[in-house]
Coordinates of all heavy atoms in Angstrom, one line a residue:
A628 N 100.4 125.7 136.2 CA 100.7 126.3 137.5 C 99.5 126.1 138.4 O 99.6 125.8 139.7 CB 101.0 127.7 137.4
L629 N 98.2 126.3 137.9 CA 97.0 126.1 138.7 C 96.9 124.6 139.2 O 96.5 124.3 140.3 CB 95.8 126.4 137.9 CG 95.6 127.9 137.7 CD1 94.5 128.1 136.6 CD2 95.2 128.6 138.9
A630 N 97.3 123.7 138.3 CA 97.2 122.2 138.7 C 98.2 122.0 139.8 O 97.9 121.2 140.8 CB 97.6 121.4 137.5
A631 N 99.4 122.5 139.7 CA 100.4 122.3 140.8 C 99.8 123.0 142.1 O 100.0 122.4 143.2 CB 101.7 123.0 140.4
A632 N 99.2 124.1 142.0 CA 98.6 124.7 143.2 C 97.5 123.9 143.8 O 97.4 123.8 145.0 CB 98.1 126.1 142.8
F633 N 96.7 123.3 142.9 CA 95.6 122.4 143.4 C 96.2 121.2 144.2 O 95.7 120.9 145.2 CB 94.8 121.9 142.2 CG 93.7 120.9 142.6 CD1 92.6 121.3 143.3 CD2 93.9 119.6 142.2 CE1 91.7 120.4 143.7 CE2 92.9 118.7 142.5 CZ 91.8 119.0 143.3
Q634 N 97.2 120.6 143.6 CA 97.8 119.4 144.3 C 98.4 119.8 145.6 O 98.5 119.0 146.5 CB 98.9 118.8 143.4 CG 98.5 118.4 142.0 CD 97.5 117.2 142.0 OE1 97.1 116.7 143.1 NE2 97.1 116.8 140.8
A635 N 98.9 121.1 145.7 CA 99.5 121.6 147.0 C 98.5 122.2 147.9 O 98.8 122.7 149.0 CB 100.6 122.6 146.6
G636 N 97.2 122.2 147.5 CA 96.1 122.8 148.3 C 96.2 124.3 148.4 O 95.8 124.9 149.5
E637 N 96.7 125.0 147.4 CA 96.9 126.4 147.4 C 96.0 127.2 146.5 O 96.2 128.4 146.3 CB 98.3 126.7 147.1 CG 99.3 126.1 148.0 CD 100.8 126.2 147.6 OE1 101.0 126.7 146.4 OE2 101.7 125.8 148.3
L638 N 94.9 126.6 146.0 CA 94.0 127.3 145.1 C 93.0 128.1 146.0 O 92.8 127.8 147.2 CB 93.2 126.4 144.2 CG 93.9 125.7 143.0 CD1 92.9 124.8 142.3 CD2 94.4 126.8 142.1
P639 N 92.4 129.2 145.4 CA 91.3 129.8 146.2 C 90.2 128.8 146.6 O 90.0 127.9 145.9 CB 90.8 130.9 145.1 CG 92.0 131.1 144.3 CD 92.7 129.8 144.2
A640 N 89.6 129.1 147.7 CA 88.7 128.1 148.3 C 87.6 127.6 147.4 O 87.4 126.4 147.3 CB 88.1 128.7 149.6
R641 N 86.9 128.5 146.7 CA 85.8 128.1 145.9 C 86.2 127.2 144.7 O 85.7 126.2 144.4 CB 84.9 129.2 145.4 CG 83.7 128.8 144.6 CD 82.8 129.9 144.3 NE 82.2 130.5 145.5 CZ 81.2 131.4 145.5 NH1 80.6 131.8 144.3 NH2 80.7 131.9 146.6
L642 N 87.3 127.7 144.1 CA 87.9 126.9 142.9 C 88.4 125.6 143.4 O 88.1 124.5 142.8 CB 89.0 127.7 142.3 CG 89.7 127.0 141.1 CD1 88.8 126.6 140.0 CD2 90.8 128.0 140.6
D643 N 89.0 125.5 144.5 CA 89.6 124.3 145.1 C 88.5 123.3 145.4 O 88.5 122.1 145.0 CB 90.4 124.6 146.3 CG 91.1 123.3 146.9 OD1 92.1 122.9 146.4 OD2 90.5 122.7 147.8
A644 N 87.4 123.8 146.1 CA 86.4 122.8 146.5 C 85.6 122.4 145.3 O 85.2 121.2 145.2 CB 85.4 123.6 147.5
G645 N 85.3 123.3 144.4 CA 84.5 122.9 143.2 C 85.3 121.9 142.3 O 84.7 120.9 141.8
L646 N 86.6 122.1 142.1 CA 87.4 121.2 141.3 C 87.5 119.9 142.0 O 87.4 118.8 141.3 CB 88.7 121.8 141.0 CG 89.7 121.0 140.1 CD1 89.1 120.8 138.8 CD2 91.0 121.7 140.0
A647 N 87.7 119.9 143.3 CA 87.8 118.6 144.0 C 86.5 117.8 143.9 O 86.5 116.6 143.7 CB 88.1 118.9 145.5
R648 N 85.3 118.5 144.0 CA 84.0 117.7 143.8 C 83.9 117.1 142.4 O 83.5 116.0 142.2 CB 82.9 118.7 144.1 CG 82.5 118.9 145.5 CD 81.1 119.5 145.6 NE 81.0 120.7 144.8 CZ 81.3 121.9 145.2 NH1 81.8 122.1 146.4 NH2 81.1 123.0 144.4
F649 N 84.3 117.9 141.4 CA 84.2 117.4 140.0 C 85.1 116.2 139.8 O 84.7 115.2 139.2 CB 84.5 118.6 139.0 CG 84.5 118.1 137.6 CD1 83.3 118.2 136.9 CD2 85.6 117.7 136.9 CE1 83.2 117.7 135.6 CE2 85.6 117.3 135.6 CZ 84.4 117.3 134.9
L650 N 86.3 116.3 140.3 CA 87.3 115.3 140.1 C 87.0 114.0 140.9 O 87.3 112.9 140.5 CB 88.7 115.7 140.4 CG 89.3 116.8 139.4 CD1 90.7 117.2 139.9 CD2 89.3 116.3 138.0
D651 N 86.3 114.2 142.0 CA 85.9 113.1 142.8 C 84.9 112.2 142.1 O 84.9 111.0 142.2 CB 85.3 113.6 144.1 CG 84.9 112.4 145.1 OD1 85.8 111.7 145.4 OD2 83.7 112.3 145.4
R652 N 84.1 112.9 141.2 CA 83.1 112.1 140.5 C 83.6 111.7 139.1 O 83.3 110.6 138.6 CB 81.8 112.9 140.3 CG 80.7 112.1 139.6 CD 79.4 112.8 139.6 NE 78.4 112.1 138.8 CZ 77.2 112.5 138.6 NH1 76.8 113.7 139.0 NH2 76.3 111.8 137.9
Y653 N 84.4 112.6 138.4 CA 84.8 112.3 137.0 C 86.3 112.3 136.8 O 86.7 112.3 135.7 CB 84.2 113.5 136.2 CG 82.7 113.5 136.1 CD1 82.0 114.6 136.8 CD2 81.9 112.5 135.5 CE1 80.6 114.7 136.7 CE2 80.6 112.6 135.5 CZ 79.9 113.7 136.1 OH 78.5 113.7 136.1
G654 N 87.0 112.2 137.9 CA 88.5 112.2 137.8 C 89.1 111.0 137.1 O 90.2 111.0 136.7

Side-chain angles (χ1 to χ4, degrees):
L629 287 169
F633 174 69
Q634 303 292 2
E637 298 171 354
L638 284 181
R641 184 172 294 190
L642 175 57
D643 181 83
L646 182 60
R648 277 196 309 273
F649 179 84
L650 294 178
D651 183 60
R652 182 171 180 185
Y653 298 109

